[in-house]
Amino acid sequence: GLFANAALMIFRLDRSVTFREHVGRVRRHVLDVQSRAGLPWSLLVREMKREKIKVPPLVLWMHMPTPLPPLRFAGLELNWDNSLQLPMEKGIVVRFDERQEEDHCLLTYDARLYAPEKMNGFVDNLVRFIREASLDPDATVGALIERAGIASVK
């Protein structure tokens, strides 16, 4: 299923490294985690609770679905609905569509927990940061944050 091998990943943002170096660190960490992702998330959570270990919350879920090509027959075209409903309490989901990455990004969150204006600000900051990073991936993360005009990153 969708969450059969979900894995928790925690990343530290070091403002002094270049964006390219940061992406390399993230890539190595993701590959390392994937190599050990055979343990289902639900089993890990159950065992952590049994051992009285605090389970970290899933706060931000990044998702890029595997695009399925349209199915064509009898002069008709069937396009798959890649909508995603994640059963995460208190979570934020950022979903990208690689077929329409210029204008098809979906942000899902609980408006009772997160103010829409703050979430819109988060998206605006993310877009500005990505734009700056794509122009100069060898700049430091701190410089890119500054150039993007992002006031504070916690």
Side-chain angles (χ1 to χ4, degrees):
L2 179 63
F3 288 101
N5 292 323
L8 176 68
M9 290 184 261
I10 299 172
F11 298 98
R12 304 272 182 242
L13 182 63
D14 182 348
R15 293 171 178 248
S16 67
V17 302
T18 68
F19 180 73
R20 189 181 308 271
E21 289 171 306
H22 179 71
V23 169
R25 288 178 181 182
V26 169
R27 181 179 186 279
R28 286 188 297 278
H29 185 64
V30 168
L31 290 173
D32 182 50
V33 168
Q34 282 179 337
S35 72
R36 294 178 272 113
L39 181 64
W41 175 252
S42 59
L43 179 60
L44 178 62
V45 168
R46 186 171 55 236
E47 289 301 309
M48 289 175 75
K49 286 180 178 178
R50 189 175 63 77
E51 295 292 326
K52 306 218 183 320
I53 299 170
K54 185 179 177 190
V55 178
L58 291 175
V59 177
L60 182 64
W61 184 274
M62 304 293 276
H63 178 67
M64 182 174 264
T66 303
L68 296 171
L71 179 63
R72 293 180 179 91
F73 61 94
L76 300 173
E77 181 176 296
L78 174 67
N79 289 292
W80 304 100
D81 178 11
N82 285 325
S83 61
L84 177 66
Q85 300 297 321
L86 296 176
M88 282 177 34
E89 292 180 21
K90 303 178 186 175
I92 300 168
V93 177
V94 180
R95 182 179 175 273
F96 299 97
D97 184 339
E98 69 182 33
R99 293 174 297 176
Q100 301 172 347
E101 62 185 17
E102 284 292 321
D103 61 357
H104 200 160
C105 173
L106 176 69
L107 179 72
T108 306
Y109 60 92
D110 186 338
R112 295 170 299 181
L113 301 173
Y114 303 100
E117 63 276 2
K118 297 275 187 185
M119 298 311 298
N120 289 336
F122 166 75
V123 170
D124 291 343
N125 285 342
L126 181 61
V127 167
R128 287 195 314 270
F129 178 82
I130 290 171
R131 192 169 290 134
E132 290 298 328
S134 68
L135 293 171
D136 188 5
D138 292 313
T140 65
V141 171
L144 295 171
I145 289 170
E146 230 176 88
R147 288 182 204 165
I150 300 171
S152 67
V153 175
K154 295 181 181 179

